[in-house]
Amino acid sequence: MDELEVRRRLLTDPYHLTPEQLQQLQQDPDSQQFHQDVLDLDQHIKQVLSPPVPKTLENTLLLLQHKHKQQQQKRFYQNLIALAASVAFLAGFALNWSFFLYGSQSLGENSLAHVYHEEPYMHHRMAALSLSEVNSKLADFDAELSSSDYTVVFANYCNFRGTRSLHLVVETEQGLMTVFVVPKENSLNFEEQFHDEKYQGRSIATHKAILVMVSDKAETLQQGEQQLLKNLQFKA
């Protein structure tokens, strides 16, 4: 399967991948990044096309219905149509920008989105990496792993709202922990702690980059963070 065919299939259905596609992605970092970008863009489109409904909307509509009655219904619907057109315009504007700016406004939300995007095929891509393999990617961020009390099973570049970052997955005694190395020069709002119904995360700012750690277990996050800070070093 050539690269154009792989990308065509990824654009058609990026969430349901065949074993052949998963194998191709594992062997081709460019296709992996393209897949990640397609998933990020899909999430942005869903967010843009599903704006949150204001809490006061119901009361406002009831008040308008009471005041305007039949003689003013026409103007009411005209205003409603104008509002819908404005929302559609803003949605189109945001959609165009989403081709260049991926991810949410929040560092935590963006990290969780990456974890969920990788979930469908992460287990097919995990393999124990040597220290030199990991350090070859960390070198781009002026970082080095001096030693490791755990096994790094995944290392690849990712996009944090237009900022080239590094996505690592480590296997600790308590379970898997995802680590993102994000340059300090990024457009995301810093969050020291974050969580949802499944995952929890913590961010630590160093002089070179921000380390973001995510896991589904509190003990994994605590032990993994201690081990990581002990062994990961940034150049001065």
Side-chain angles (χ1 to χ4, degrees):
M1 186 186 304
D2 59 28
E3 183 179 356
L4 289 177
E5 178 63 15
V6 171
R7 296 196 173 198
R8 185 187 67 80
R9 294 189 180 185
L10 290 177
L11 284 172
T12 302
D13 188 356
Y15 292 99
H16 301 91
L17 305 180
T18 65
E20 182 182 7
Q21 289 175 282
L22 290 172
Q23 182 179 6
Q24 182 73 16
L25 285 176
Q26 188 172 5
Q27 297 172 352
D28 185 3
D30 290 339
S31 293
Q32 294 174 15
Q33 183 62 56
F34 181 80
H35 186 207
Q36 180 67 57
D37 290 346
V38 171
L39 291 172
D40 288 348
L41 178 58
D42 184 65
Q43 290 300 313
H44 268 287
I45 293 174
K46 291 178 180 178
Q47 293 174 7
V48 168
L49 296 182
S50 302
V53 178
K55 296 180 180 180
T56 60
L57 180 60
E58 181 178 357
N59 292 336
T60 301
L61 292 176
L62 289 174
L63 181 62
L64 288 174
Q65 184 180 24
H66 176 72
K67 287 183 176 180
H68 292 284
K69 299 295 183 180
Q70 293 182 351
Q71 68 274 19
Q72 295 182 336
Q73 281 184 356
K74 183 177 180 179
R75 188 174 65 179
F76 169 76
Y77 285 113
Q78 288 175 339
N79 291 338
L80 192 61
I81 291 172
L83 176 62
S86 299
V87 172
F89 172 80
L90 292 175
F93 181 81
L95 180 60
N96 288 333
W97 273 103
S98 68
F99 282 93
F100 304 97
L101 304 177
Y102 300 101
S104 62
Q105 294 285 349
S106 160
L107 183 65
E109 291 175 353
N110 196 278
S111 301
L112 290 174
H114 275 268
V115 172
Y116 281 115
H117 291 161
E118 297 285 356
E119 269 189 340
Y121 55 86
M122 176 56 70
H123 287 285
H124 298 280
R125 300 169 61 187
M126 291 193 304
L129 301 175
S130 66
L131 194 60
S132 60
E133 289 177 305
V134 178
N135 281 332
S136 66
K137 294 185 181 295
L138 283 171
D140 292 348
F141 303 87
D142 290 335
E144 181 181 28
L145 200 61
S146 58
S147 63
S148 182
D149 300 326
Y150 42 72
T151 303
V152 180
V153 294
F154 179 80
N156 200 8
Y157 301 108
C158 60
N159 192 319
F160 263 54
R161 196 175 176 85
T163 302
R164 185 171 180 265
S165 307
L166 183 61
H167 183 169
L168 303 173
V169 177
V170 300
E171 191 172 32
T172 71
E173 294 180 357
Q174 295 78 26
L176 294 177
M177 181 178 75
T178 297
V179 179
F180 295 104
V181 183
V182 185
K184 296 193 73 172
E185 297 75 17
N186 67 80
S187 59
L188 295 164
N189 296 326
F190 180 82
E191 285 182 300
E192 184 176 354
Q193 294 182 340
F194 54 90
H195 65 87
D196 66 2
E197 65 277 2
K198 182 176 181 180
Y199 291 105
Q200 52 189 298
R202 176 171 168 78
S203 305
I204 298 177
T206 72
H207 67 288
K208 283 282 187 177
I210 298 173
L211 299 177
V212 185
M213 292 149 287
V214 181
S215 178
D216 60 350
K217 299 183 182 68
E219 59 270 22
T220 301
L221 199 62
Q222 182 178 6
Q223 294 296 326
E225 177 185 335
Q226 294 175 359
Q227 294 170 348
L228 184 66
L229 294 179
K230 181 176 69 174
N231 298 315
L232 185 62
Q233 301 174 349
F234 288 91
K235 294 181 181 179

